[in-house]
Amino acid sequence: MSVGSGCIPAIPGVAPPPRAGLLGGAFLQVAAARPRAGRCRATQQGRVRLGGRVVARAGAAETPVAGADEDAGAMFSEKFPLRRCQTVEGKAWVRVDAEPDGDGKCKVVVGCDVAGKWILHWGVSYDGEHESEWDQPPSEMRPPGSVPIKDYAMETPLEILPNSEGRYEVQIKFDKDTPVAAINFVLKEEETGAWFQHKVRDFRIPLSGSFDGGVPFGATEDIGVWPGDLGQLKKHEGSNAQPQETIHGGKGLSGKHISGFYQEFQIIKSEYTHNFVTVTVKRDNETQKRRVEFDTDIPGEVIIHWGVCRDNNMTWEIPPEPHPPTTRIFRQKALQTLLQAKADGRGNYLSFLLDAEYSGLFFVLKLDEYTWLRNLDNGSDFFISLTRMEQRGSTQDLGKVEPQKVDKPSQPDGIISDIRNLVVGLSSRRGQRAKNKVLQEDILQEIERLAAEAYSIFRSPTIDSVEASVYLDDQSIAKPACSGTGSGFEILCQGFNWESHKSGKWYVELGTKAKELSSLGFTIVWSPPPTDSVSPEGYMPRDLYNLNSRYGTMDELKELVKIFHEADIKVLGDAVLNHRCAQFQNNNGVWNIFGGRMNWDDRAVVADDPHFQGRGNKSSGDNFHAAPNIDHSQEFVRNDLKEWLCWMRKEVGYDGWRLDFVRGFWGGYVKDYLEASEPYFAVGEYWDSLSYTYGEMDYNQDAHRQRIVDWINATNGTAGAFDVTTKGILHAALERSEYWRLSDEKGKPPGVLGWWPSRAVTFIENHDTGSTQGHWRFPYGMELQGYAYILTHPGTPAVFYDHIFSHLQPEIAKFINIRQRQKIHCRSKAQNILSQAVPRTGLSLLRVKNTKSGKCLHRPDWPNC
């Protein structure tokens, strides 16, 4: 199985070509193993799964400098551990024995034939319960060795069968008249942390005929592949469900029956192979050059993709000839040299001379077109500082190159002057009743562009520190305005799905992915709701100061934030401010009295919520009918919520917020909350229906995006909002090939990103629209077209957890790589153009111009861009 890549921007000119059919077709690869909780992070470095394809990354482990006794000419020798992924295929099976055995017990048997440490993570449901609810099974159903997971699941190891040549099974026995309606489970491979599900949902075996929900195995439903969060099974080719006799019980629930069946599924597990590459640099006294040696135990063909730099400027260049044998020039930007096989067949090696004038050596190992081995420490190329070795004779801090100082006094001044001129021009046209509204919009966009450019200058590590001190008489001026929009270059990852709470230790599991997400280019991760909640998913909060949830403990949450910060990723907390579940009932038996540190009474509940008898004012938004809607007009409510948000920022370390159901309360209250808590980034969920006529989506969606923009404006621009408009339009454009929808009447993108791109957070899927809820699922098989759009457009793109940890990862990584190489940011200017390719893909409508570099981002099939 081929291996994907394309997520490291530092390699000059390297972007593995897209394979034909990827954007238009369905994917048949099955998600591979994922590192999970309970594994030491030190043993997991370098495991990077890209669905069925894997980019193996390397972590550097320094070794002592070679001494004079070892090699008198050696400047240093460093060994880098590597990990490569190999896939093992097998099958899993589910069998229900409906005929009671000698003990009067029926059986459910789950097994597989792939070597590993397999765990059955399972629970049961009873009649009348929702299919997503799990309970612990009764004690008589629990096989030996079962371990309870909190109060809703069990974990039971699969045992290897004697004389079975590697077959693992577990048996769950139960009475024919059991009150259990269904058994739910997922398979977990303990050694790799991989989870295997059925179409990204739990396996479900209904045991009761009166059970409403779920499809029993053996039914006519096709078992296929769906991009999953952690792993998947798919139907084994050539196998069919084999229904057995239906046994009708004479006891228990009405209509109770147990159907026997047997079904197999193909299972693909990723295993990791440990290798190394050693780099040695020696002085060659005869030529006064440096001799560079590579030694690796990786078998087969191995290519070193390499280049050099001068004066520590970190710019790749090609050294002059002569080059080592079997070297070719790659796009006039780098060299690719095939290593020579060792005489004993145990790997490959290479040795060549390098002029002493060079200050550094870059390299990456290339195994095939889609497999690149890089340094896990920074997710980028290996870099050897040659000058630092000569100065210090050490390999300490080789990857850290001090930036050069560049004097840029005139550039900010010019930008300031440009902004002032544009503001004056806009002011002079204010009274013209805006026949010239287009011009004003262009000026506003140009101001945003210049602001982004100025920010990029001051965020650069090459800027000198300001020598003169600046004194302000008014201390309030020194407090920066809260924008909540980050740097403008943010790429967001939603770090969970609707099922993530079920493991009970999601914070630990998510923390193992921090370095991988950082290496892929993500700058922000959105974490799940942290508070005590009536619902396990966290969106029915109760005691806001109790941060022990189904996702993990408060200490685990704080450790998670710390881990992501160490990986240079900001963390958003999911703040549910619209509603709150009460702990106590009033005299009428209505749940509207709150406990904990925020011990509100019914004055905190809006008066027009028909279910909860609130004594507050009327709601400033739409009601959420499942829980008491909070009256944000009450000063004591606002003060408590501001204090809580500030406490979360300080105690947990959150960098910002994802705000749930902001349709429920006025955006002006959000402004107060954000100005108090000063988030680095904030985004609100303003989700309502697009405009339709007789069931057909309207071309003009200005009214829909106007409602979102109005909410953002009410927050005074302190928060962005999810661009629901763009998602809906992409649905129609891709599903029905209606690519004319990708441009509004003025030739701009038709969503929020066409009007206010710096506040538009674009996405194609989240835990509500996709995952196991599927309320508004993106057209299947077209996810990559969606990501091609949002990752190459202005706005702040968000990638869903189920997609980045699936077979879609390599292609998403390429789009992120393109976005970063071209320096596309939330304010980049997008221009829709007509193209001959419109009927074919529609993506050729897009031209995004990087207004800083003037470069045009385009697909390979745009020859005239």
Side-chain angles (χ1 to χ4, degrees), residues 467-515:
E467 295 180 1
S469 300
V470 179
Y471 297 94
L472 297 173
D473 294 331
D474 185 355
Q475 293 300 317
S476 65
I477 299 176
K479 184 177 180 180
C482 170
S483 69
T485 58
S487 69
F489 292 87
E490 310 300 342
I491 301 176
L492 188 150
C493 176
Q494 179 174 358
F496 63 99
N497 63 25
W498 194 247
E499 305 296 320
S500 297
H501 66 277
K502 288 188 175 178
S503 71
K505 45 191 176 184
W506 185 250
Y507 294 145
V508 177
E509 297 172 9
L510 183 59
T512 65
K513 301 171 176 63
K515 284 192 175 182

Side-chain angles (χ1 to χ4, degrees), residues 131-200:
E131 63 177 280
S132 65
E133 291 294 326
W134 284 33
D135 290 300
Q136 284 192 350
S139 57
E140 63 270 15
M141 287 184 68
R142 303 177 186 181
S146 297
V147 176
I149 302 298
K150 292 196 173 180
D151 60 348
Y152 55 87
M154 301 293 297
E155 287 194 347
T156 305
L158 276 67
E159 301 291 343
I160 190 166
L161 299 178
N163 304 320
S164 64
E165 297 183 354
R167 291 169 62 92
Y168 299 79
E169 277 192 355
V170 63
Q171 296 183 1
I172 300 173
K173 296 185 177 183
F174 58 93
D175 293 325
K176 187 171 61 174
D177 58 351
T178 178
V180 172
I183 294 175
N184 315 290
F185 74 88
V186 293
L187 273 174
K188 176 182 177 182
E189 208 288 300
E190 189 75 10
E191 292 178 340
T192 60
W195 294 72
F196 296 90
Q197 296 177 293
H198 171 56
K199 285 192 173 181
V200 204

Side-chain angles (χ1 to χ4, degrees), residues 214-285:
V215 179
F217 294 107
T220 57
E221 182 194 22
D222 180 41
I223 308 298
V225 179
W226 193 262
D229 59 338
L230 301 169
Q232 300 158 329
L233 299 176
K234 68 178 184 179
K235 188 172 181 180
H236 190 277
E237 295 181 7
S239 73
N240 296 304
Q242 300 174 14
Q244 299 175 4
E245 180 185 0
T246 299
I247 309 297
H248 296 275
K251 304 178 185 177
L253 299 166
S254 175
K256 179 82 173 183
H257 70 270
I258 301 170
S259 298
F261 63 87
Y262 174 82
Q263 193 163 342
E264 293 181 352
F265 306 90
Q266 183 180 7
I267 188 169
I268 299 176
K269 173 190 169 187
S270 294
E271 296 182 342
Y272 294 90
T273 302
H274 298 261
N275 299 104
F276 69 85
V277 59
T278 299
V279 183
T280 303
V281 178
K282 304 176 181 179
R283 295 184 184 89
D284 190 89
N285 295 327

Side-chain angles (χ1 to χ4, degrees), residues 355-673:
D355 290 340
E357 63 186 284
Y358 299 112
S359 62
L361 170 70
F362 301 95
F363 75 91
V364 179
L365 291 171
K366 178 183 177 183
L367 304 187
D368 57 43
E369 196 63 29
Y370 301 103
T371 310
W372 302 79
L373 307 184
R374 299 178 173 89
N375 194 331
L376 180 63
D377 288 345
N378 53 21
S380 191
D381 319 331
F382 292 101
F383 176 72
I384 307 299
S385 176
L386 301 175
T387 54
R388 194 163 294 194
M389 293 168 201
E390 290 198 344
Q391 294 167 0
R392 303 181 184 181
S394 171
T395 60
Q396 299 296 320
D397 300 325
L398 295 180
K400 299 179 182 177
V401 179
E402 295 180 1
Q404 290 182 312
K405 294 184 178 181
V406 179
D407 189 16
K408 302 182 183 178
S410 61
Q411 194 170 5
D413 293 341
I415 291 176
I416 292 171
S417 177
D418 289 344
I419 292 175
R420 284 175 177 166
N421 291 336
L422 286 167
V423 172
V424 170
L426 184 62
S427 177
S428 67
R429 292 170 173 80
R430 182 179 298 172
Q432 294 183 5
R433 291 247 179 216
K435 281 185 182 180
N436 215 349
K437 187 176 180 182
V438 174
L439 177 59
Q440 293 187 26
E441 288 179 354
D442 289 343
I443 293 175
L444 285 171
Q445 287 190 0
E446 187 67 10
I447 290 173
E448 286 202 333
R449 180 192 68 78
L450 291 168
E453 185 172 346
Y455 182 89
S456 69
I457 294 172
F458 287 105
R459 73 197 285 266
S460 169
T462 62
I463 294 288
D464 286 339
S465 59
V466 179
E467 295 180 1
S469 300
V470 179
Y471 297 94
L472 297 173
D473 294 331
D474 185 355
Q475 293 300 317
S476 65
I477 299 176
K479 184 177 180 180
C482 170
S483 69
T485 58
S487 69
F489 292 87
E490 310 300 342
I491 301 176
L492 188 150
C493 176
Q494 179 174 358
F496 63 99
N497 63 25
W498 194 247
E499 305 296 320
S500 297
H501 66 277
K502 288 188 175 178
S503 71
K505 45 191 176 184
W506 185 250
Y507 294 145
V508 177
E509 297 172 9
L510 183 59
T512 65
K513 301 171 176 63
K515 284 192 175 182
E516 180 179 357
L517 290 172
S518 178
S519 70
L520 289 168
F522 290 100
T523 62
I524 297 180
V525 64
W526 159 20
S527 64
T531 65
D532 166 53
S533 171
V534 171
S535 65
E537 296 82 12
Y539 288 100
M540 300 282 280
R542 184 167 45 195
D543 184 354
L544 299 188
Y545 279 93
N546 180 358
L547 300 187
N548 296 312
S549 70
R550 286 286 184 91
Y551 298 100
T553 66
M554 180 177 178
D555 288 339
E556 290 170 344
L557 173 59
K558 292 166 71 172
E559 180 65 18
L560 172 72
V561 173
K562 178 183 176 183
I563 290 171
F564 272 101
H565 284 170
E566 291 172 349
D568 294 325
I569 294 179
K570 307 287 187 183
V571 182
L572 302 186
D574 201 325
V576 184
L577 304 180
N578 174 75
H579 51 273
R580 181 183 172 195
C581 293
Q583 284 97 321
F584 308 103
Q585 296 169 289
N586 65 5
N587 293 332
N588 298 325
V590 176
W591 293 89
N592 60 11
I593 307 299
F594 303 91
R597 186 164 161 181
M598 294 185 188
N599 54 346
W600 303 334
D601 58 18
D602 52 5
R603 293 174 300 159
V605 181
V606 296
D608 51 347
D609 187 328
H611 304 291
F612 296 101
Q613 298 181 5
R615 292 194 297 123
N617 297 312
K618 288 188 176 181
S619 175
S620 58
D622 297 335
N623 275 329
F624 178 81
H625 296 294
N629 288 252
I630 300 305
D631 180 12
H632 294 265
S633 70
Q634 302 284 0
E635 186 175 3
F636 72 90
V637 169
R638 293 199 306 277
N639 289 339
D640 281 353
L641 289 177
K642 285 187 282 188
E643 182 181 352
W644 175 67
L645 290 170
C646 292
W647 176 79
M648 294 268 281
R649 288 270 278 142
K650 180 179 179 180
E651 186 68 22
V652 178
Y654 282 131
D655 303 287
W657 317 111
R658 179 267 184 186
L659 302 171
D660 183 66
F661 197 77
V662 296
R663 277 174 46 205
F665 55 105
W666 179 46
Y669 300 134
V670 173
K671 172 179 175 291
D672 290 345
Y673 299 144

